[in-house]
Amino acid sequence: MRLGIKGKQVLGVTIIVGTVVVGLSLVHLAQLAQVSLDESRGRADLIAKAIYQRAREVVADAPVTNEALRTDPGLRSILQSSLYSKNVTFAAIVDARGRTIVHADAAQEGRDLPRAADLDALLSRASLYQLRAIYSGQGRNFDLTQPLLVDDVDFGSIRVGVSTLLIRGDLDASLRPATLTALVALAVSVFGAVILAQLLLRPIHVIRSGLTRLGAGESGVKVDLDQHDEFGELGTFFNTVSEQISADRSQMAGQVAHLESAVEHLEDAVAIVSPNGKLMFANPALRALLPAATTGTEWSAVVPADHAMRRLADETISTGQSRGPVSSRVTLPGGEESDRLLLTHPVNDASGGLVGIMLIVRNLEYLSQVESTLRYSRKLAALGRLSAGVAHEVKNPLNSMMIHLELLRQYIVPRPSVGRAKGGDDEVDLAPSRDALKHVDVIAGEIRRLDEVVQGFLKFTRPEEMKLQPVVLSVLLDDVVPVVRPEAERHHVELHVQCDGALAVNGDPAMLRQAFLNLALNAIQAMPGGGVLRITCTPVRGHRISIVVADTGLGIKPEDLEKIFNLYFSTKPKGSGIGLSMVFRTIQMHDGEIEVQSTLGQGTAFTILLPQAS
């Protein structure tokens, strides 16, 4: 069982207190044993001296014989009363050969009395040795021996027995209150250790809670530790690290969003497979190619074993090396076959360990289309340069024709006269001059219209130098509204603009301003009887911003929706057909998209998607 910090602290305090209690108890018990042995030795010595004194009196009154000692009632009384002394088991007089002369137990008289360990020798040893002697086995007897001399002759000895078993009983009785006190002290120490551990470990619990929240993805986690100690410093350090992690996480989230947006819009099919064969990621292109490719699915269930994708992925997982490019025929969901280019790359962590592989499936047909589009774009660019040159060459003759028409007009302008004029002898008819002047006006009008067409063509085909910069949409629309508002008031149109001041796109301010101005003016002109024009800006997925210009006007016919962005196409009687074409071209140059939705009698909405400023 794993022991926590709190358990370790409580166990440590308990062991320390228990060790101190046991040590003190042993010392106390040793002291009690020493005292008890001293007291027992004193009683035995007192008994031995009483026996010695009475034996001398008996010897002084009669010849020294064993029978005199055995039959003396006073000596017998002293020996028997010794049995009532605490811890004393017997008292006896033995001769020089160790045979009992007089014994407190008369049945032992005349028998050999075995010698026991010397009590004085035990008292001379250390306290722990004495304690071990008392508590060893079933108990032992120790003798206090005093020589019995008669006329300086060794007659025998007086022996008094002391039992360690009786001493042990006295010690056990004395230890009961001490043991109870030790147990109470141990219980109090454990309770105190638990309270102390709770107080000391509170900062750790607070920090652990903060780490749990931080690990769950919560940002801005802070712990409140106002202690002026190491834990307080640790709390301050935790808050600093938490702020740094939150900042890094926000930055990483933005980078991941950019990466996901980029991968989501890739024409190439991309998948990431874990080393154990789980599909971790698949972009829309891969899901369109393999409908069963969902996150968490076994890669083996998505692609059969004999497929080139499976083979390359397995080789990269086993070797950790890139594989490909390999060309392969892939069956599409509709049953058609198409050429694809397959590549696999290992994805390693900071330590070089393999965390997955990236599979890329590239559409070769799409690449062919891109190459064809590039070639076509080059041809269009060359054609544009040629068209611009032709338009420029046409413009010069048109200017010359206008000059000569004005000169011709001066020659055929009629004088202020009626009917016929007299010129000398002949009369001149002025009616043809008036007819010629009408034809000159018609030719001049057509030349001007042709000049407008050429100017618009030049403006559309001439390459413009874009100055990309962050453009705040609210500021840009604030420049458009004052220009549009007079026209809106003239047509009784309500103008509503809703755009967050923080939204910005990457673009050329002048070109975008002209594009929004054209859309707004077209919308107002589509509401001759009045209506509402709304311009709204909102951020959308893919790090882009949607700008919607919606009106409640006449709407556009379904058959005209596909043509409205064509050059020179217009549904207005006097329209040039250049405005919406310029809008479409401007949005394309800004790497954006424009869509139109319209319902007859209800209105039209143009939706523009532009990259958000980084």
Side-chain angles (χ1 to χ4, degrees):
M1 183 181 67
R2 201 182 91 180
L3 201 60
I5 295 177
K6 182 178 180 180
K8 291 178 181 177
Q9 185 174 1
V10 173
L11 181 61
V13 172
T14 303
I15 291 174
I16 292 173
V17 174
T19 303
V20 172
V21 169
V22 171
L24 293 177
S25 298
L26 287 176
V27 171
H28 179 65
L29 185 61
Q31 291 176 349
L32 288 178
Q34 178 72 40
V35 172
S36 183
L37 286 173
D38 287 340
E39 290 178 352
S40 298
R41 202 266 179 202
R43 295 190 190 94
D45 184 60
L46 184 61
I47 293 172
K49 287 180 179 180
I51 294 173
Y52 180 81
Q53 187 64 30
R54 182 59 186 171
R56 286 182 64 85
E57 291 177 358
V58 171
V59 170
D61 296 336
V64 180
T65 60
N66 292 343
E67 187 64 26
L69 294 174
R70 188 179 293 116
T71 58
D72 182 69
L75 185 58
R76 174 73 63 185
S77 176
I78 294 172
L79 291 175
Q80 290 178 350
S81 64
S82 65
L83 298 177
Y84 298 99
S85 296
K86 189 175 182 180
N87 301 331
V88 175
T89 57
F90 72 91
I93 298 175
V94 297
D95 58 16
R97 294 176 300 174
R99 188 178 296 276
T100 305
I101 299 175
V102 185
H103 198 284
D105 184 7
Q108 300 295 329
E109 294 175 355
R111 297 180 180 180
D112 292 337
L113 183 65
R115 294 191 64 85
D118 187 21
L119 181 61
D120 289 332
L122 177 63
L123 288 172
S124 64
R125 302 295 294 270
S127 299
L128 291 178
Y129 182 85
Q130 297 172 0
L131 193 62
R132 188 176 65 177
I134 293 173
Y135 279 92
S136 61
Q138 298 297 321
R140 298 169 56 188
N141 285 331
F142 288 84
D143 290 350
L144 176 67
T145 303
Q146 182 175 340
L148 181 60
L149 300 177
V150 178
D151 297 332
D152 296 329
V153 177
D154 186 6
F155 181 77
S157 62
I158 301 172
R159 292 166 62 179
V160 179
V162 177
S163 174
T164 58
L165 188 61
L166 297 176
I167 296 175
R168 185 194 306 177
D170 292 341
L171 293 180
D172 291 342
S174 301
L175 277 178
R176 289 190 185 95
T179 302
L180 181 60
T181 303
L183 291 176
V184 172
L186 193 61
V188 171
S189 66
V190 170
F191 179 75
V194 172
I195 300 299
L196 183 61
Q198 191 70 23
L199 294 176
L200 290 178
L201 295 179
R202 177 189 170 277
I204 295 180
H205 295 321
V206 173
I207 293 175
R208 183 177 65 179
S209 175
L211 290 173
T212 302
R213 293 165 55 195
L214 200 62
E218 186 175 345
S219 299
V221 178
K222 289 189 177 182
V223 295
D224 184 15
L225 293 177
D226 295 332
Q227 298 174 231
H228 302 287
D229 54 10
E230 289 80 358
F231 282 117
E233 295 176 359
L234 183 60
T236 303
F237 180 73
F238 176 89
N239 293 336
T240 303
V241 172
S242 175
E243 292 177 0
Q244 183 64 38
I245 291 176
S246 299
D248 293 343
R249 186 174 289 166
S250 299
Q251 183 178 2
M252 186 178 296
Q255 294 175 353
V256 170
H258 291 320
L259 180 60
E260 288 181 351
S261 175
V263 174
E264 291 285 333
H265 291 85
L266 278 179
E267 292 291 340
D268 295 339
V270 179
I272 297 179
V273 183
S274 67
N276 59 0
K278 291 279 188 179
L279 185 62
M280 300 168 61
F281 172 79
N283 72 337
L286 185 75
R287 293 195 296 270
L289 186 64
L290 301 172
T294 57
T295 303
T297 307
E298 292 287 344
W299 182 241
S300 58
V302 177
V303 182
D306 58 346
H307 199 281
M309 291 186 195
R310 175 79 173 276
R311 186 174 64 255
L312 289 181
D314 292 343
E315 290 179 0
T316 301
I317 290 175
S318 61
T319 64
Q321 302 295 325
S322 298
R323 289 290 184 268
V326 174
S327 180
S328 176
R329 296 287 290 178
V330 176
T331 302
L332 301 179
E336 300 179 0
E337 291 189 350
S338 177
D339 291 330
R340 292 291 190 272
L341 195 66
L342 309 179
L343 305 95
T344 54
H345 301 287
V347 180
N348 301 320
D349 56 16
S351 61
L354 183 68
V355 296
I357 65 160
M358 178 182 290
L359 171 69
I360 301 174
V361 183
R362 187 159 294 164
N363 189 350
L364 295 180
E365 294 180 356
Y366 173 73
L367 292 178
S368 300
Q369 293 175 2
V370 171
E371 293 176 356
S372 176
T373 302
L374 288 175
R375 289 193 296 269
Y376 183 66
S377 299
R378 294 190 186 100
K379 293 179 181 179
L380 285 181
L383 182 60
R385 290 192 295 269
L386 177 61
S387 301
V390 171
H392 185 270
E393 293 300 325
V394 171
K395 186 175 182 297
N396 289 335
L398 289 179
N399 291 335
S400 179
M401 291 169 65
M402 287 297 296
I403 293 173
H404 285 281
L405 279 176
E406 290 300 323
L407 294 175
L408 183 60
R409 186 193 300 276
Q410 293 178 7
Y411 281 111
I412 64 175
V413 171
R415 295 181 180 86
S417 60
V418 181
R420 304 175 66 88
K422 295 182 179 180
D425 297 334
D426 300 327
E427 294 182 355
V428 181
D429 189 359
L430 298 180
S433 299
R434 296 190 190 94
D435 293 336
L437 189 59
K438 292 179 181 179
H439 290 297
V440 169
D441 291 338
V442 172
I443 293 172
E446 291 301 315
I447 290 175
R448 281 193 294 271
R449 193 174 71 82
L450 183 59
D451 185 64
E452 291 177 358
V453 172
V454 171
Q455 291 289 348
F457 184 74
L458 281 175
K459 187 175 182 182
F460 190 82
T461 59
R462 183 186 300 120
E464 297 188 33
E465 183 180 354
M466 294 178 59
K467 297 180 180 178
L468 294 178
Q469 63 186 56
V471 179
V472 180
L473 291 174
S474 59
V475 176
L476 185 67
L477 294 176
D478 286 343
D479 293 339
V480 173
V481 169
V483 180
V484 174
R485 192 174 297 280
E487 186 74 11
E489 292 176 352
R490 214 169 15 251
H491 287 76
H492 306 289
V493 173
E494 297 181 14
L495 184 59
H496 299 284
V497 178
Q498 184 179 358
C499 191
D500 186 2
L503 295 178
V505 298
N506 282 325
D508 185 298
M511 296 180 67
L512 291 178
R513 180 181 182 277
Q514 186 62 40
F516 292 142
L517 183 61
N518 286 343
L519 288 176
L521 291 177
N522 283 349
I524 292 172
Q525 293 169 6
M527 295 182 286
V532 178
L533 172 60
R534 299 183 184 275
I535 302 176
T536 58
C537 310
T538 53
V540 294
R541 189 178 179 184
H543 203 61
R544 298 194 293 178
I545 295 179
S546 170
I547 304 99
V548 179
V549 180
D551 62 61
T552 58
L554 301 176
I556 303 173
K557 297 178 181 179
E559 59 270 19
D560 292 339
L561 280 176
E562 296 181 357
K563 308 175 186 176
I564 59 173
F565 295 121
N566 294 345
L567 185 61
Y568 303 129
F569 177 81
S570 177
T571 58
K572 294 181 288 187
K574 297 183 179 181
S576 64
I578 297 177
L580 287 180
S581 298
M582 292 297 298
V583 171
F584 184 79
R585 178 172 175 269
T586 298
I587 300 304
Q588 278 192 325
M589 292 176 66
H590 283 79
D591 193 23
E593 299 176 14
I594 182 169
E595 298 178 354
V596 58
Q597 294 179 346
S598 182
T599 304
L600 284 176
Q602 297 184 10
T604 304
F606 287 87
T607 302
I608 299 171
L609 298 176
L610 293 174
Q612 188 172 355
S614 56

